[in-house]
Amino acid sequence: MRRAAVLATLGLALANAPAAHAQSWRLRLDARAQLAAFRGVELDSIAEADVVTGPTGGPVTPDGIIVRCPPTTTSCYFFRPGERRRGGPAFTTADLTMWGLGVSGLRVHATARAGIELGTTDSWPGTDPALQLLEGYAEYAADAVVARVGRQLVTNRLGWSGFDGGRVTGRLPRYGLDAELYGGLGLAEATAIPVSSPALDPLDEFRPQSRQILFGAAAGWRTRYADLRLDYQREVDRDTRNFWSERVALSGATRLTSRFLVSAGAEYDISNSWFGTSEIDLRWSERRWSVTAGARHYRPFFPLWTIWGAFSPVPYRAVHGRLQASPVRNLGINLSTEYFRFLESETETPLVQVRQDGWRSEASATYRLAERWRLGAGYRLEYGPGASVDGFEASAAWEPRDGVSLRAYGATLTRPLEFRLNQSELVVLGLDASWQVEPRLRVAVGAAHYDENRDRPDAAAIEWKQLRLNARVSWQLASDPDVTPLPPAIRRRPEAAP
């Protein structure tokens, strides 16, 4: 809470400060919190001599929970319902941009997040460390070159990468060409903290002790009819100089006619010498409908330092289709399906027959009624090797007046758990409300009731309910936008909005 108060105080100070030296700035504060709970399972054991025979003839604990007794041990193992853990994560995000700093084309940008756990236990991920710098860099933009120094994020076909370092982008709009180089000390995958941070201690001895060196390059070519991009990225261990990863990707799209679009992409993992995720999509569009058909080869990616690479992740190949239509005004329909099949894993399971294929389908529709109402409903069904999931969802949104929105929703979800012995059935009912108090201030609150039934053929079956509450406030502060307009080189860029 103290860090959130500091960020709010910073916003008030900037709001009351004079625009000296023709400086301009924009600050957005976003605070949100929720109260929620979860209940997992706990692995337990019992001596084989204490096991009894259950109603179906199998081994169970004295209180009736099914157990598994490996032949090479004298203990039997089972899962029992875990304790209820209540969490109250609260986050405040501050996004600040400053320009008009005395050098034309120069701006400073920073995004930071403060998070705390309001519950009685440290039960919610993402609150450690409490203060995180997501981005923080200085940028200089000219007509053909943009340079950044500091903490920044790069998003491309190879994924999301964060690093502390430099990045240079060059453009030749007349020829449709652009290129970029970037490099520095990388951050951990899917987070804004270094891989050596104590917050990642659960990885124990498998966690690298130093941050990796990250380097990447990209080139693109864009014309009226086609778009082509090449990405390259590598990560190297600072201590051993061994590669963590080295990958290259090629992607592109071309419009053969005004209605027919072809897009495709492929990745190659140089460090493992195999192709990664690749796909091709064909899309035909008309005024009221469009249809897409395609195929893909999916393989998960893991850096070489992780233990997961030792399991040689098996890819799957899939074909899919999607239909989007609006047969009448204000009605939108979306239908999609995909069939997938895993490649051979080169393992033997003589006592178990495992399916290698599966499919997933989804249908949804939205309808706008009388300009103030929006209705929606959908259904999802998926069957895969050893697992399945299906569920309904529906929602109704009402805007009684401009700036005010109310939404009611409901959903059901059925899925198997714990080696298919446990099936979870979940029902959710919720209500959200938001109010645009003024152009720069928005407030939202919500509540949802969760009712979960874990159906098992033994004493571990449970049914429990909870009420989740959430709240959010978004506040935007800025100096007079007419004091110093953005430099022309920044205004001409697609991401010009600071």
Side-chain angles (χ1 to χ4, degrees):
M1 294 295 291
R2 188 176 303 170
R3 292 183 176 87
V6 170
L7 293 174
T9 302
L10 173 62
L12 291 174
L14 289 172
N16 296 322
H21 307 294
Q23 294 179 359
S24 296
W25 56 271
R26 181 175 298 171
L27 174 66
R28 180 183 179 89
L29 295 175
D30 186 281
R32 62 183 70 189
Q34 69 170 321
L35 295 177
F38 66 89
R39 188 176 187 180
V41 294
E42 296 179 358
L43 179 62
D44 204 344
S45 63
I46 186 174
E48 187 175 9
D50 296 331
V51 171
V52 299
T53 302
T56 61
V60 300
T61 64
D63 54 353
I65 300 179
I66 296 175
V67 300
R68 178 178 61 89
C69 302
T72 58
T73 66
T74 59
S75 298
C76 298
Y77 301 90
F78 61 96
F79 289 100
R80 67 168 63 252
E83 63 176 346
R84 295 191 182 191
R85 305 189 65 183
R86 297 190 177 276
F91 295 94
T92 297
T93 303
D95 188 276
L96 173 66
T97 300
M98 302 180 66
W99 66 99
L101 304 175
V103 178
S104 179
L106 178 65
R107 69 163 180 155
V108 175
H109 175 77
T111 302
R113 185 181 70 180
I116 59 174
E117 170 61 65
L118 301 177
T120 57
T121 59
D122 185 15
S123 58
W124 209 265
T127 56
D128 183 24
L131 183 62
Q132 297 184 31
L133 178 64
L134 306 182
E135 282 190 305
Y137 57 82
E139 177 186 89
Y140 174 76
D143 287 338
V145 178
V146 178
R148 288 182 180 179
V149 177
R151 175 162 294 186
Q152 48 198 298
L153 307 177
V154 173
T155 304
N156 53 35
R157 182 182 172 83
L158 295 176
W160 181 98
S161 300
F163 65 96
D164 296 326
R167 179 182 180 186
V168 178
T169 302
R171 296 183 176 88
L172 294 175
R174 180 179 179 181
Y175 302 100
L177 298 174
D178 66 84
E180 69 175 2
L181 293 172
Y182 57 91
L185 297 180
L187 301 174
E189 193 171 2
T191 185
I193 59 177
V195 71
S196 55
S197 170
L200 300 179
D201 275 349
L203 296 176
D204 295 325
E205 68 271 17
F206 299 107
R207 177 170 56 91
Q209 301 304 305
S210 300
R211 299 175 62 181
Q212 75 275 26
I213 300 173
L214 183 144
F215 170 80
W221 177 54
R222 178 178 297 178
T223 68
R224 181 179 177 183
Y225 303 101
D227 189 353
L228 190 65
R229 182 176 177 85
L230 178 67
D231 290 286
Y232 170 82
Q233 184 173 293
R234 67 161 60 175
E235 295 176 284
V236 180
D237 189 285
R238 291 171 60 194
D239 297 328
T240 64
R241 300 304 180 186
N242 292 329
F243 275 49
W244 284 15
S245 67
E246 186 177 22
R247 296 183 294 161
V248 62
L250 179 65
S251 58
T254 180
R255 188 170 294 278
L256 301 180
T257 69
S258 60
R259 295 183 174 87
F260 189 38
L261 176 68
V262 179
S263 59
E267 303 168 14
Y268 186 75
D269 190 334
I270 301 175
S271 53
N272 283 300
S273 300
W274 60 42
F275 278 97
T277 301
S278 307
E279 76 284 327
I280 182 171
D281 285 305
L282 311 176
R283 178 183 176 89
W284 184 276
S285 302
E286 295 288 348
R287 187 173 67 89
R288 287 190 172 275
W289 60 271
S290 67
V291 61
T292 303
R296 63 175 176 148
H297 170 94
Y298 173 80
R299 184 195 296 267
F301 165 74
F302 302 105
L304 294 180
W305 69 265
T306 69
I307 193 174
W308 300 110
F311 294 95
S312 300
V314 178
Y316 69 76
R317 293 173 181 172
V319 292
H320 57 267
R322 177 183 295 272
L323 172 65
Q324 296 173 299
S326 180
V328 298
R329 184 181 178 185
N330 296 335
L331 175 63
I333 298 175
N334 191 332
L335 304 175
S336 64
T337 188
E338 181 180 62
Y339 171 81
F340 58 90
R341 183 177 182 83
F342 283 88
L343 275 63
E344 293 292 338
S345 62
E346 300 180 0
T347 59
E348 295 184 3
T349 54
L351 301 180
V352 180
Q353 293 294 328
V354 179
R355 287 189 58 180
Q356 294 180 267
D357 62 344
W359 56 271
R360 56 177 69 96
S361 298
E362 185 175 351
S364 62
T366 59
Y367 184 71
R368 180 171 290 276
L369 178 64
E371 300 300 328
R372 293 291 185 179
W373 284 90
R374 183 180 179 88
L375 308 178
Y379 175 70
R380 178 190 175 193
L381 179 63
E382 179 175 348
Y383 280 90
S388 67
V389 62
D390 74 282
F392 292 91
E393 61 180 6
S395 64
W398 177 44
E399 298 179 1
R401 62 184 181 87
D402 293 343
V404 178
S405 176
L406 300 174
R407 184 175 74 98
Y409 60 91
T412 66
L413 178 67
T414 302
R415 61 192 178 96
L417 298 174
E418 291 126 48
F419 308 106
R420 316 292 87 81
L421 182 63
N422 182 343
Q423 178 169 284
S424 172
E425 298 177 353
L426 178 66
V427 177
V428 182
L429 297 174
L431 180 65
D432 292 333
S434 64
W435 178 28
Q436 190 74 42
V437 182
E438 57 173 283
R440 296 183 178 181
L441 178 62
R442 188 174 187 88
V443 179
V445 295
H449 174 76
Y450 285 71
D451 186 353
E452 183 179 10
N453 181 11
R454 299 183 184 176
D455 185 16
R456 288 175 54 113
D458 61 1
I462 60 173
E463 180 179 5
W464 72 293
K465 304 175 182 179
Q466 64 166 299
L467 178 65
R468 294 189 175 188
L469 305 176
N470 65 83
R472 177 181 179 183
V473 177
S474 296
W475 187 22
Q476 183 169 295
L477 305 168
S479 60
D480 187 347
D482 296 327
V483 172
T484 305
L486 289 173
I490 294 180
R491 294 200 304 269
R492 286 194 287 266
R493 294 166 52 199
E495 64 274 20

